Amino acid sequence: MTLPAAQPAGLLERAAAGALIVTASRRLARTLQLHYARFQRSAGRRAWPTPQILPWSAWIESLWETALYDGLALPARLSADEESLVWERIISDDPEHEALLDPAAAAEAACHSWELMHAWRLDRGAIRTLAGEDTLAFLRWAERFEQISAREGWLEAARQPDRLASLLDRIPLPAPIVLAGFDELTPQQREFVEACRCSGAAVEQAPPPSCTTSLRCRISLPDRAREFEAAARWARALVESGSARTVAIVVPDLESVRAEVERIFTRVLEPVRLLPGDSRPRAFNVAAPPPLLAQPLVRAALLILELDRDRNPVDAVSRLLRSRYLRCAESERAPRALLDIALRDRGLAEISIPELRRACCRAKPACPSLASALGIWLSRDERLPQRQPPSGWARDFTRLLRALGWPGQRSLSSEEYQACEAWNAVLARFGSLDRAAGDLPRIHALALLRRLLARTPHEPRSEPAPIQILGVLETAGLQFDAVWICGLDDDSWPRPPEPDPFIPLELQRRLNLPHASPQRELDFARRTLDRLAASAPRVVASWPRRVEDQDRAPSPLIEAWPEASEAELLPGGFDDYVHLIAASGSLEFRQESGAPPLPEDAWSRGGVRVFQYQALCPFRAFAELRLGATRLRFPQPGISPLDRGHAVHTALELVWRELQSHERLLGTSETDIEALLDRAIGQAIAKLQMQRPDLMPRLLELERRRLEPLLRAWLGKEKSRETFHVVAIEHEREIELAGVRATVKVDRVDRLDDGREIILDYKTGACSRGLWMGERPEDPQLPLYAVTHPNDLAGLFFAQISTGEICLKGLRADRPDARGAPLLCRELLEQWRRVLERLATDFREGRAEVNPKRGEQTCRTCRLEALCRVHETAIEPSESEEYGEQE
């Protein structure tokens, strides 16, 4: 069917004369409406009738509503959301659906195949003849879909044009109708247009815009980032010089690289937006907007709705406490931040809402507004039914949000207000799904709402921008002053085929369906490139020479285009924001004498960490122990290594408080030892459960079973030692070294028969006495205990208690071990004292330079890089430092 042509230059005049303009895309409809407004203003008009400019889908919807208003008998329209739910329910009820990893994704694919069948008039018998296992499953689902639709009186979008075509003689149609921006009409669209003509409507098709090309060239760039940057610089130069009012940057795979494109174009075109507080109109717009789910305000709403009365990950609670979209979030910001830190320090992986509410009341300072809001949330959560339709959940979800004061009491910005309005629209869509979804449990209702938010694109409304970053399909029917087409390498253009998964491939290729074959993709790429080349006077095609370590050549479709160099095409003398800041700054050299000295008689918090951190990095010791700049903990689910260490310490403390000596250990029967271990481990597990109420009983029982053989093996090791008497267990004492006063806790001190003593430090992880050595010892805990111990020492040991390794690692005063370790002699103690006193003196005097002992290896365990900015300097490990002996 050949349609008479309508000239693009006359589209606006035709719209003014009352013609209906039907566009291939919503973007083209919006653009024509904008141009129509400018056209009317240029004619001196201040008001005018709204033109009839609609995308194809909106035109079909308007005809359907017209037929309903005229009293024609029509089935109930099934929305896209409802249709997807019906397909998902059919697939879930299918006895073979267990083989599917994602029924929701299968439902979306089935929807697309169903639309393809009707749009391209595919014969079901031909499909069945060539059907494989997946196709037979789809046909089974399709038959079920038709049965449900017929029983319920529903009609989905794929079959609505066919139903309307039979009623067009009874529906008033505008005359004429102009189709704009269609590269290709499907057989269903062609039949519908022919039905309109048979009903008396004049239908024309506007040819694609055509410009006289003054510049057409191709250019290669090193990689994708440089390609996007070059396009941004080119567009900026054209707009700033006044050479172009509208510039299009076309990116074929825009959805997958949108974030990178937006970041680069912002840096080049709007560097001021890298600073906070800028709200001026954008210089560019990016198509393929992110989903509404990505908006912070919407994520906060979902966070509230997904709260569970009994179990909530501490990470989710942390985000809740830091959210700006809750009641009194601004006035309680500091107390809530401190509460977040306190919950992390408790090591909990999960917390209940009642416990969180109690924590809000007990915190210092307290969070009374949040505690009150959580109380309201709990009372409303208690009244929620087990199952109800989406309309009921939409009502209750709104009440839960209001309970916590969402979206907050401060004034929303324009972007936040639009996100809130979009949320309300999606919630209304969700509430309209009763007939398709039926009654749902809460978890399924939330999953459905999350899917709707993920499928809803959202971009805040803004003024039209001179630079448009578009995908290929969005450019249909549009005209620009300049176009830059990115990504035209031989691997990406033409694009590889992506045939439909449920329609037989042989049939798709025989009927030349979209994305079915390389030849189809080649024809589409050639036709699209010709259209883009004719859409502007200036057209540049580019490709990256390298993508992910693969060399790329230009697409064969642009090989005939003349090649340009960067010097010819791109403006010189352009610097981005970072370079401008660097060029405008001047270096100021200032010699810092260090941090303020520690006051006299001041106690140092941190104990052994004063010496350890000063050795690892002086800045860390100052920042953590004097400024309190400790890193936040990130609790993990399950029993952590720290929890296991505490359990071992607790159990052994109880065991040795009862045994007291080596003699009693040897004299206690195995039965009594088993009973003693059972009591000690039971108390240790009870203490762990009190500290970590989030731990499941099963995990605690597994830890009990792990500890029993481990501690039994350790007591067996203790039996082989020489005679000793335990004189101190978990003993705290005050020390002073070079003016630094601190409190330390020694795990255990044993006294031998000759009066000398042995210090033991329990370790459930890796340990090595080599960490005691050197001018900057990395674990100076036991050396510190040794030099400040009041009595003669016979030995200094790590008590290694871990699965697979039960042993003592350390030094003796009377004889070396088989490894040839040095003696714990007076000379070694004096050396340790000198090293520790120097570290204490440095800490007391305020020496706090950024000097990590082993460079990045040390920094990985610190996480204060945002404060010390260590990555702004080159860090190399000290050549003079050695690990010492490693076992």
Side-chain angles (χ1 to χ4, degrees), residues 590-594:
R590 180 176 176 180
Q591 185 67 35
E592 290 288 350
S593 59

Side-chain angles (χ1 to χ4, degrees), residues 806-881:
I806 302 291
C807 63
L808 291 170
K809 295 180 180 179
L811 303 176
R812 298 186 62 91
D814 50 2
R815 64 179 184 275
D817 65 5
R819 298 174 181 268
L823 293 176
L824 185 63
C825 57
R826 186 177 301 277
E827 289 77 9
L828 181 59
L829 291 175
E830 288 301 323
Q831 178 185 344
W832 281 348
R833 179 179 292 275
R834 176 183 57 81
V835 169
L836 294 171
E837 285 181 345
R838 179 182 52 78
L839 293 173
T841 301
D842 290 343
F843 180 78
R844 178 172 49 81
E845 293 179 350
R847 181 181 173 187
E849 70 273 16
V850 179
N851 183 20
K853 178 181 178 180
R854 300 190 183 279
E856 292 186 3
Q857 181 178 335
T858 300
C859 293
R860 280 196 294 269
T861 63
C862 176
R863 298 182 183 174
L864 293 178
E865 61 269 19
L867 185 60
C868 70
R869 302 189 299 180
V870 66
H871 297 303
E872 298 180 16
T873 61
I875 302 175
E876 297 294 340
S878 303
E879 296 181 0
S880 61
E881 296 294 342

Side-chain angles (χ1 to χ4, degrees), residues 80 155 213 289 294 308 347 379 389 420 432 465 513 658 665 748 827 854:
L155 194 67
T213 304
D308 182 81
S379 64
C420 187
S432 68
L513 266 59
E658 182 167 335
L665 172 64
R748 190 170 126 202
E827 289 77 9
R854 300 190 183 279

Side-chain angles (χ1 to χ4, degrees), residues 647-648 650-652 654-655 673-688 700-712:
V648 167
T650 301
L652 287 178
L654 297 170
V655 166
I673 289 291
E674 291 291 335
L676 175 59
L677 284 177
D678 186 67
R679 291 195 305 272
I681 293 173
Q683 293 183 49
I685 294 298
K687 182 178 179 181
L688 177 59
L700 295 171
E701 179 60 27
L702 290 174
E703 182 62 14
R704 171 192 285 274
R705 295 181 183 180
R706 188 189 74 88
L707 286 175
E708 289 173 354
L710 187 67
L711 297 188
R712 191 183 308 114

Side-chain angles (χ1 to χ4, degrees), residues 779-814:
D779 190 357
Q781 181 177 12
L782 282 175
L784 180 63
Y785 294 166
V787 300
T788 59
H789 194 69
N791 303 322
D792 290 339
L793 286 175
L796 194 67
F797 293 99
F798 284 130
Q800 178 83 54
I801 309 173
S802 60
T803 303
E805 189 167 18
I806 302 291
C807 63
L808 291 170
K809 295 180 180 179
L811 303 176
R812 298 186 62 91
D814 50 2

Side-chain angles (χ1 to χ4, degrees), residues 14 19-22 59 173-179 196 201-205:
R14 301 296 298 276
L20 169 65
I21 312 297
V22 180
W59 180 41
L173 294 173
I177 301 171
V178 182
L179 306 181
C196 290
V203 184
E204 306 171 3
Q205 186 164 8

Side-chain angles (χ1 to χ4, degrees), residues 84-99:
S84 180
L85 278 176
V86 173
W87 281 103
E88 187 174 346
R89 188 173 64 188
I90 290 171
I91 294 172
S92 298
D93 292 341
D94 189 88
E96 300 180 10
H97 88 280
E98 289 83 0

Side-chain angles (χ1 to χ4, degrees), residues 37 58 61 152 157 175 263 307 377 409 456 546 552 560 589 622 632 673 694 711 730 736 756 794 802 849 869:
E61 183 176 346
E152 302 292 341
R263 173 177 56 81
L307 289 175
W377 186 94
Q409 294 175 331
T456 303
R546 196 165 183 82
R552 298 290 175 87
F589 294 92
F622 172 73
L632 293 178
I673 289 291
D694 59 309
L711 297 188
E730 302 293 336
E736 181 172 355
R756 293 181 303 163
S802 60
E849 70 273 16
R869 302 189 299 180

